[in-house]
Amino acid sequence: MRYEELTGQVQARAQLPDRQAAERTVRATLETLAERIPGGLADHLAAQLPAGAAEPIRRVIASHEGSPEQRAHHRDHGERFGLTGFAGRIAWRIESTEEEAIREAMAFFEVLDSAVDPELMEKVYGALPHDIRGLLPEARAVQSGEAGTGNAEAGEAEGRGGAGG
């Protein structure tokens, strides 16, 4: 999928006013997702996306430079935050409310789900805590809930709650 096609689909699904708003949503959601999932998994996701969409993920991965121990930790573990933190970070990046951020992220995940290899998406979704998985397309959320890993659940403790707090 080309970057223009990806942003066009996000614009249509999220009912955004223009392409720039769709690009902000794509960038904000991918940056936040890259912070939440292990760096190695984020790197694999970036490899399957068009350059314009991969860039925000690679920027987050590069920001985790540090000691060899820090790099290894970020490669194997994402930051721990739940839906409230996820929505808050996206909202801050798109300069909107958490409710709008959730709506736009849901539209983005629908597009991402169709753009990336299903096996990789299972791994990405399996790395997310249950509350964030609620943003996924319905069929994928059910599949991930059945096959989810215990590692994702550990991240739910921080930032627990809905978008309203």
Side-chain angles (χ1 to χ4, degrees):
M1 180 179 289
R2 293 182 350 263
Y3 181 69
E4 295 77 21
E5 185 180 356
L6 185 129
T7 56
Q9 286 185 23
V10 170
Q11 180 183 353
R13 287 180 193 241
Q15 300 176 340
L16 297 170
D18 54 38
R19 183 63 55 105
Q20 291 76 22
E23 289 175 349
R24 279 191 302 274
T25 295
V26 168
R27 188 172 43 252
T29 307
L30 284 171
E31 286 173 352
T32 305
L33 182 63
E35 291 167 346
R36 182 60 184 87
I37 63 175
L41 190 54
D43 200 34
H44 287 293
L45 179 61
Q48 289 197 16
L49 294 172
E55 187 270 329
I57 295 173
R58 293 209 165 102
R59 189 172 51 246
V60 169
I61 293 168
S63 74
H64 292 152
E65 296 294 319
S67 71
E69 294 82 17
Q70 289 172 319
R71 285 194 306 271
H73 177 77
H74 286 293
R75 187 137 195 94
D76 297 335
H77 305 89
E79 292 181 44
R80 294 182 180 237
F81 52 84
L83 181 59
T84 300
F86 195 82
R89 289 176 189 219
I90 294 171
W92 179 77
R93 287 177 167 128
I94 64 173
E95 299 178 358
S96 187
T97 66
E98 288 183 4
E99 290 79 15
E100 284 296 307
I102 287 172
R103 185 182 63 77
E104 292 177 24
M106 288 175 76
F108 171 76
F109 279 125
E110 287 180 27
V111 175
L112 183 67
D113 194 65
S114 65
V116 175
D117 177 65
E119 198 172 302
L120 176 61
M121 290 313 298
E122 282 299 319
K123 291 178 183 177
V124 169
Y125 293 155
L128 296 172
H130 180 72
D131 57 350
I132 296 175
R133 275 189 243 144
L135 302 178
L136 310 180
E138 192 171 316
R140 181 73 68 187
V142 169
Q143 291 171 356
S144 294
E146 293 169 356
T149 64
N151 294 341
E153 302 304 323
E156 282 188 64
E158 282 187 46
R160 178 167 292 220

